Amino acid sequence: MRRHLMLFGLAAVCIFAVSLASAVEEGDILVYYSFDKLSGNTFEDGSGNGNDAELVGKGSLVDGQFKKAVHLNGGIVQMEANDFIVPIGEKGEITMEAWFYLNEHASYDGIISIEAAAGGCCEFRTMVNPGFNPFWDAGHHADKQLANFQFEKDEWYHYVLVADGKDGKIYVNGEFIGAQPENFKWPKFKEAAIYIGAGENPNLHKVEDAIIDEVVIYAKALTADEVRASMELSVPGVLAVKARDKLAVTWGSLKSRF
């Protein structure tokens, strides 16, 4: 019975992987921090877009959901403002994704924050409010939350915001938790900074003591299946599946010619 369940689970993951690989293009991934390696104070952007970030303040590498993660207890991870956000405005879609683990929680804890210089405040962010509920902003400073779900300390969570200007959807551990209407014209910001472990600026809504892993920002509104596949495989796994799919298609095309 256990073997059957394992095979069923593996088959489900493969189905999700194929779905994500066929839909998500590598160019949709704007920023990716695996937190597997810290070079000095720098975390390399695994998307290949050069959006490297700096560890500012107290933090270290620890075991995470996929290899290593960043443990923040006084510090944050910060990417200086650049034009990475332009495709989000052009496509009118975003997905913000991360794994996190709260060792302490008393106030608002920021997981990912994207702050546009021309926006004023709180353009995009995923947070945990004092009641342990999902709390977010999706393109404008209109705070939203869901009271039907509570995070807990000492637990790993895969936390995802998907937004397209019409609504903001929240997924936790691959499950759709709920949505709130946004209904606004999608902004087209030219530059923005990223703060991981803070919720508005480098000194506000900082996590007290938390571990964060696998931060990904897409210029795409992922589907539910795509969210689950990304959770199961992480970005390298997704891209590996896509590469194998491309190879299979190319080989099949070559065989059909001869």
Side-chain angles (χ1 to χ4, degrees):
M1 180 65 177
R2 180 179 297 178
R3 182 172 179 272
H4 290 163
L5 288 174
M6 289 176 64
L7 289 172
F8 177 79
L10 180 60
V13 170
C14 289
I15 291 170
F16 292 148
V18 171
S19 172
L20 184 58
S22 63
V24 174
E25 298 294 331
E26 188 171 357
D28 294 327
I29 303 170
L30 302 182
V31 177
Y32 169 50
Y33 302 124
S34 68
F35 299 120
D36 291 339
K37 182 180 179 181
L38 182 60
S39 301
N41 290 324
T42 300
F43 286 108
E44 183 179 351
D45 171 22
S47 74
N49 293 319
N51 296 310
D52 296 348
E54 298 292 321
L55 174 63
V56 180
K58 192 174 180 181
S60 60
L61 292 185
V62 297
D63 290 338
Q65 281 295 292
F66 292 87
K67 298 181 181 178
K68 294 298 182 180
V70 62
H71 178 204
L72 300 173
N73 52 343
I76 68 164
V77 176
Q78 176 176 330
M79 187 209 78
E80 296 293 339
N82 68 32
D83 62 357
F84 87 95
I85 199 171
V86 170
I88 294 171
E90 291 175 344
K91 295 184 179 182
E93 297 180 357
I94 189 173
T95 298
M96 296 166 60
E97 171 184 340
W99 284 93
F100 77 93
Y101 184 106
L102 296 178
N103 292 306
E104 299 293 338
H105 177 67
S107 185
Y108 287 91
D109 280 341
I111 307 302
I112 306 173
S113 180
I114 300 175
E115 293 296 313
C121 174
C122 318
E123 286 70 51
F124 301 91
R125 57 183 179 174
T126 51
M127 302 177 65
V128 180
N129 74 9
F132 286 85
N133 306 119
F135 179 98
W136 74 93
D137 292 86
H140 57 160
H141 192 185
D143 299 341
K144 303 295 174 68
Q145 59 189 352
L146 292 172
N148 65 322
F149 183 89
Q150 285 187 309
F151 298 107
E152 297 181 7
K153 292 194 299 182
D154 305 322
E155 294 282 348
W156 275 106
Y157 292 100
H158 184 253
Y159 184 17
V160 179
L161 166 66
V162 178
D164 59 6
K166 296 178 181 178
D167 55 22
K169 300 177 182 178
I170 296 295
Y171 295 84
V172 177
N173 293 345
E175 298 296 325
F176 175 66
I177 300 301
Q180 293 280 11
E182 301 290 348
N183 295 324
F184 76 108
K185 185 177 180 181
W186 199 264
K188 293 186 178 181
F189 301 119
K190 294 182 179 180
E191 287 193 342
I194 299 173
Y195 307 117
I196 297 164
E200 184 176 330
N201 63 54
N203 300 306
L204 194 60
H205 305 317
K206 294 168 64 175
V207 294
E208 298 108 288
D209 189 320
I211 303 169
I212 300 177
D213 199 6
E214 296 292 311
V215 168
V216 195
I217 299 172
Y218 298 86
K220 174 181 172 61
L222 296 190
T223 66
D225 282 352
E226 290 165 355
V227 167
R228 286 192 290 271
S230 188
M231 176 186 73
E232 294 285 352
L233 297 174
S234 81
V235 167
V238 167
L239 296 182
V241 169
K242 188 169 184 67
R244 288 197 297 270
D245 285 351
K246 284 184 176 179
L247 181 61
V249 170
T250 301
W251 178 242
S253 176
L254 285 172
K255 287 199 297 182
S256 68
R257 295 178 187 178
F258 297 98

